Amino acid sequence: MSSDPTGRKAVAAVWRIDSARIIGALTRYTGDFALAEDLAQEALAEALVTWPREGVPANPAGWLLTVGRRRAIDAFRRRSTRDEKYAALAHRLSEGGALTGATEPGPAPDDVLWDPDQIDDDTLALIFTSCHPVLSREAAVALTLRVIGGLTSDEIARAFLVPTATVQARITRAKKTLGAANVPFEVPPVAQRPARLAQVLSCIYLIFTEGSSASSGDEVMRLDLAGEAQRLARILSRLMPEEHEAHSLLALLELTAARFPARRGPDGETILLEDQDRRRWDRSAIARGRAALAKAADIGRGFGYYGLQAAIAECHALAPSVEETNWDRIVVLYEALGRLAPSPVVELNRAVAVSMARGPAAALPIVDDLAGSDAFKESHQLPGVRGELLRRLGRVDEARTALEQAIRLCGNEREREVLSRKLANL
């Protein structure tokens, strides 16, 4: 039979949609996260060979899980033919049968490949495992995109502008670290859940932040990365409907992404907020974001770290223009955010809001107080903001010095272009 190109496309689509459920189910069956991820990758490789040649099976996800589980049995058989895990997994499997989906008759009613009542639990447990605090930030991000997002190592590497080998090494180290720490495959107990959920939210937010404001390269945004973070946030808010910060994070991501269509010009250049055509903002994303924020508010615990940021994004989304934005409310929200989670970045953003609400003279002392912060030692953000404030105050020479420093520190080519235009305009 000739190769069918739609087969490879089907493999990619099924993997992107169901990889988390497949890996989660295999982890539950084997009790070994690292082994389950390897088994799922082996099943994926077999599908890439078989489906284009023999056709897409009637139950693609079930096919992948069947192959993965049989590979697990083979692995346990190699370890020990009398191993208890092998016996528990294999006792209901019929003898013989094809290993490919094209001729596979499908599981009998009493041989369910995954329990529909456990699918969500498996996926949620997988999210908490891939974002476990024993992992480094880089490893957690790579592992989350791999096992939850279904991205390949090449795709992750392209998104973060690092070599594929670097991503593969991070994933390998992450799996070894989880195994060495005996991290259980489970949704954390109630007492541990707030801290663990914060780790998960932070991981998703980090993915979105890198996608929405690329730290390096020649693109101001990486929409595939930001979009994957939005998808992860939607999954999490569905799996944890009573967690207000899960809804808040989704709201923040939707409201921020709503401005993406207006952030780039025809040649890919960055368009600043004050110059954006707000008619190009995605109104459906704004509606989704506001609905998620309302859901978070309805849960009734007050806005947290992501809720306050989402409320700020909502102020921008509702304003007809920069001048008509409710900057006083944004200042208050940043003050609340600073009390909840003090950081130099929050304080710098508050300074920008103060400059819009009360003028640059009121904001400049706030920025100057941050000059010694280690958070901005290698960042262009503080000198960029300071240069703009000095420009508005008419202190041109000082503004030029600050902008030149910002250009030297900026790692993103498109943002350097914006700073260079400001410098030229002086």
Side-chain angles (χ1 to χ4, degrees):
M1 184 178 295
S2 62
S3 177
D4 179 6
T6 62
R8 295 183 69 86
K9 293 180 181 178
V11 174
V14 172
W15 183 251
R16 195 67 177 266
I17 294 169
D18 284 320
S19 60
R21 299 199 298 177
I22 292 167
I23 296 171
L26 288 172
T27 303
R28 174 159 47 86
Y29 278 126
T30 63
D32 187 331
F33 169 75
L35 174 61
E37 208 271 332
D38 290 341
L39 294 170
Q41 291 293 327
E42 290 178 16
L44 176 66
E46 186 166 330
L48 287 169
V49 173
T50 304
W51 294 9
R53 185 181 66 239
E54 301 184 10
V56 180
N59 180 3
W63 188 99
L64 289 167
L65 192 52
T66 298
V67 173
R69 189 166 74 160
R70 284 177 173 157
R71 291 292 180 91
I73 292 168
D74 289 343
F76 287 133
R77 182 187 290 120
R78 287 193 296 269
R79 293 179 188 178
S80 171
T81 58
R82 298 185 183 278
D83 188 278
E84 289 183 359
K85 291 181 178 178
Y86 164 63
L89 287 169
H91 77 280
R92 290 184 297 167
L93 281 182
S94 58
E95 293 295 328
L99 286 179
T100 63
T103 58
E104 171 69 346
D110 62 344
D111 189 23
V112 178
L113 292 174
W114 55 31
D115 180 353
D117 293 333
Q118 285 195 270
I119 288 174
D120 285 353
D121 287 345
D122 287 344
T123 303
L124 192 57
L126 195 63
I127 291 173
F128 277 104
T129 301
S130 62
C131 297
H132 197 279
V134 298
L135 301 176
S136 69
R137 183 178 68 175
E138 293 81 5
V141 166
L143 193 61
T144 299
L145 289 172
R146 173 75 164 263
V147 301
I148 309 298
L151 273 65
T152 66
S153 296
D154 287 340
E155 289 172 328
I156 299 169
R158 284 197 300 270
F160 283 95
L161 302 180
V162 296
T164 299
T166 299
V167 172
Q168 293 171 333
R170 289 174 183 174
I171 292 172
T172 299
R173 282 197 301 270
K175 292 192 288 187
K176 288 181 178 178
T177 300
L178 292 171
N182 293 318
V183 173
F185 180 71
E186 64 180 10
V187 178
V190 174
Q192 300 176 16
R193 202 165 297 170
R196 292 288 305 281
L197 177 61
Q199 187 85 6
V200 172
L201 296 171
S202 176
C203 182
I204 296 174
Y205 184 49
L206 180 64
I207 294 170
F208 181 83
T209 300
E210 182 59 31
S212 62
S213 299
S215 59
S216 59
D218 58 2
E219 290 291 335
V220 67
M221 294 181 290
R222 296 172 191 149
L223 297 181
D224 53 346
L225 205 56
E228 189 55 40
Q230 288 174 265
R231 191 175 77 88
L232 294 173
R234 292 188 194 108
I235 291 172
L236 189 64
S237 63
R238 180 178 62 81
L239 296 178
M240 306 190 77
E242 299 306 316
E243 292 292 345
H244 70 294
E245 278 290 77
H247 296 287
S248 294
L249 177 63
L250 177 58
L252 173 60
L253 269 51
E254 293 280 15
L255 290 165
T256 304
R259 303 201 295 269
F260 285 177
R263 279 185 57 189
R264 288 193 297 193
D267 297 324
E269 70 275 16
T270 299
I271 300 178
L272 298 175
L273 180 63
E274 57 265 30
D275 299 322
Q276 289 175 14
D277 181 355
R278 299 188 177 215
R279 294 170 298 180
R280 297 185 62 200
W281 287 3
D282 186 341
R283 296 297 160 184
S284 61
I286 291 173
R288 291 193 301 270
R290 297 191 70 196
L293 189 59
K295 175 66 175 176
D298 288 343
I299 293 173
R301 300 176 198 166
F303 286 151
Y305 179 70
Y306 299 104
L308 289 169
Q309 291 184 77
I312 292 168
E314 185 182 44
C315 288
H316 289 296
L318 297 178
S321 66
V322 169
E323 294 75 19
E324 296 171 274
T325 301
N326 190 346
W327 289 108
D328 288 325
R329 173 169 167 75
I330 291 176
V331 170
V332 171
L333 289 168
Y334 270 123
E335 288 172 348
L337 186 61
R339 289 192 295 271
L340 179 67
S343 82
V345 174
V346 170
E347 191 68 358
L348 183 62
N349 286 327
R350 183 177 76 87
V352 173
V354 167
S355 76
M356 300 303 294
R358 304 166 194 166
L364 188 59
I366 302 173
V367 174
D368 288 342
D369 286 344
L370 295 170
S373 172
D374 290 340
F376 299 112
K377 188 172 293 184
E378 303 297 328
S379 172
H380 69 283
Q381 292 177 316
L382 189 140
V385 170
R386 190 169 187 276
E388 174 63 17
L389 295 179
L390 290 167
R391 181 196 68 79
R392 289 170 58 189
L393 289 169
R395 294 159 61 175
V396 176
D397 290 340
E398 294 171 89
R400 182 177 290 111
T401 300
L403 289 172
E404 288 171 347
Q405 181 186 5
I407 291 169
R408 286 195 303 271
L409 293 173
C410 185
N412 183 281
E413 184 177 328
R414 294 298 185 181
E415 290 196 29
R416 278 200 303 273
E417 290 174 358
V418 173
L419 293 167
S420 296
R421 286 200 302 268
K422 286 187 176 183
L423 182 62
N425 289 336
L426 286 176

